Amino acid sequence: MSCDIGLYGLAVMGQNFALNMAEHGFKVAVCNRSHGKVDTTVERAKQEGDLPLIGVKDPREFVNSLSKPRKIVLLVQAGKPVDATIELLSQYMEEGDVIIDGGNEWFPNTIRRADELKEKGIMFIGMGISGGEEGARNGPSLMPGGPKDAYDLIEPIITKCAAHVGDEACTGYCGPIGAGNYVKMVHNGIEYGDMQLISEVYDILKNICGMSNEEMGDLFTEWNKGDLQSYLIEITAKILKKKDDQGQNGYVVDYVLDKTGMKGTGRWTVQEAAEQSVAAPTIAAALDSRYVSGRKEERLAAEKILEGPKDKPAVDKSQIIQDLESALYCSKIVSYAQGLGIIKAASDKHEWNVDLALCARMWRGGCIIRAKLLKGIQDAMARDPNLANLMVDQGFAEALNKGQMAWRRIVSLGIANGVALPAMSASLGYYDQYRRGRLPANLVQAQRDFFGGHTFERTDKDGVFHTLWDDTHKDLGDLAGRTAGEL
């Protein structure tokens, strides 16, 4: 049969997404470097409803099995394997065909590949996919970026196969090439922040409040019924209550080594925040926490040398739990504000015209950061696409103003007890900096002028100024070029 779409790369994500498309009525051809996975996927298609899916083991036959213009989704490891797969398949493709890379790829690589394929007349889309293996099978969040003509060709397929919240599909056109990968990258950065914030709450509940895993699991289950409702809160409750499955007493989470892995998207997000001159301290703190966690042997040695507070304050467990709910919610708002700020800055720079309300809609279902909070973000960005910062939206500003004292109590509690809250304290610091009309940056700029003659602006008059701070300073003459190179 002539197939509607092809998928190359049959690890579990690839298999599941191929079956998802087939289950929605599209005829799917699958191919893979190792042939055994082709057979596995075909067998799964039979077992899961006799789905319209065929396996093809020869790359040329795979390409030729597709209706024109051909559409091929790649789900292979990012980096060189993507380049190798494109080289393998594109030799059999024609002008007007489309390749869709569904991996977590660094967006400049996507732009490069699009330029290379353009010479052959083949269109290229970088499409972020979030939701893990379950999402790929049952409905992920799909974030495509590329030529609009190419998007129009795949839109009927991805709209049906994406997650849906109500009647809204968790997908849409992110913008030109690179935009989809960028939105997915920032999604992952926000995910880093979310996970770190939840782990800090867990640390307080466990080590300050002295709660058991069962009690904490019950609390997260309760929180998942309110403003904090989200996938990550939901799975945290399940993780905390999972009994050990390796023959030990207790719970799995207590046997998990405290070293967090990563695949690079969080680091890319922090790098891009710096590149765009956008503050993202919550996401950066989450990334730094993963780095610190990786130095397990050093921490074990330091534990015997470095001291924490000895006189710890008395705690009111019920008040802490109440405050934690507010502090976590406020911190999550701030983390999303930072992520959306990064996307907005890059979109303006690259002229992508990314719709931030669409980003929130795409993230509401199927993906790892799906949360009740995102409906409010979608509405806020739809009301004012040029909103300077999510925190100043009326609804979110009210929530932050209401919760800020609880937030402060929790951060202070962590400091007093020697429990590090890097992401939560960074979130509060960002909030406090952003809400102040005047910061101590005047002193920093004065220091820059003192040691480097970098000049400064004044609050009382226009122009650029330099001061002879002491007898060692000389008149700089014309100041016009002194700010050259400033970011």
Side-chain angles (χ1 to χ4, degrees), residues 17-86:
F17 193 55
L19 294 166
N20 177 350
M21 292 188 288
E23 189 167 62
H24 282 89
F26 299 102
K27 298 175 182 178
V28 181
V30 297
C31 190
N32 194 71
R33 187 168 57 89
S34 58
H35 297 168
K37 291 182 178 178
V38 176
D39 295 333
T40 299
T41 308
V42 171
E43 183 60 30
R44 284 188 62 190
K46 292 177 182 177
Q47 293 177 355
E48 296 181 24
D50 199 20
L51 303 176
L53 181 147
I54 64 169
V56 186
K57 296 176 180 178
D58 178 75
R60 183 196 294 269
E61 292 178 11
F62 168 66
V63 172
N64 290 337
S65 71
L66 305 175
S67 60
K68 298 180 181 180
R70 303 176 182 92
K71 300 168 283 293
I72 299 177
V73 176
L74 308 183
L75 276 171
V76 300
Q77 184 179 349
K80 291 181 179 179
V82 176
D83 290 312
T85 305
I86 290 173

Side-chain angles (χ1 to χ4, degrees), residues 7-19:
L7 189 143
Y8 190 100
L10 295 173
V12 178
M13 277 284 288
Q15 291 181 30
N16 282 359
F17 193 55
L19 294 166

Side-chain angles (χ1 to χ4, degrees), residues 163-242:
H164 284 70
V165 177
D167 59 355
E168 291 186 318
C170 296
T171 189
Y173 182 59
C174 291
I177 194 68
N181 291 111
Y182 203 96
V183 170
K184 175 56 164 61
M185 175 195 73
V186 174
H187 162 286
N188 285 25
I190 294 170
E191 179 184 305
Y192 273 50
D194 253 4
M195 294 169 73
Q196 178 63 28
L197 289 166
I198 292 170
S199 76
E200 292 172 14
V201 170
Y202 159 74
D203 203 3
I204 291 176
L205 293 172
K206 181 180 177 69
N207 294 308
I208 296 181
C209 295
M211 292 175 66
S212 69
N213 286 9
E214 291 289 337
E215 289 174 322
M216 289 186 287
D218 289 340
L219 179 60
F220 276 97
T221 297
E222 187 61 31
W223 281 349
N224 201 45
K225 299 174 184 176
D227 289 337
L228 289 174
Q229 186 275 322
S230 69
Y231 173 72
L232 286 170
I233 294 289
E234 175 189 342
I235 68 168
T236 299
K238 294 178 180 179
I239 289 168
L240 288 167
K241 302 184 80 167
K242 179 67 175 177

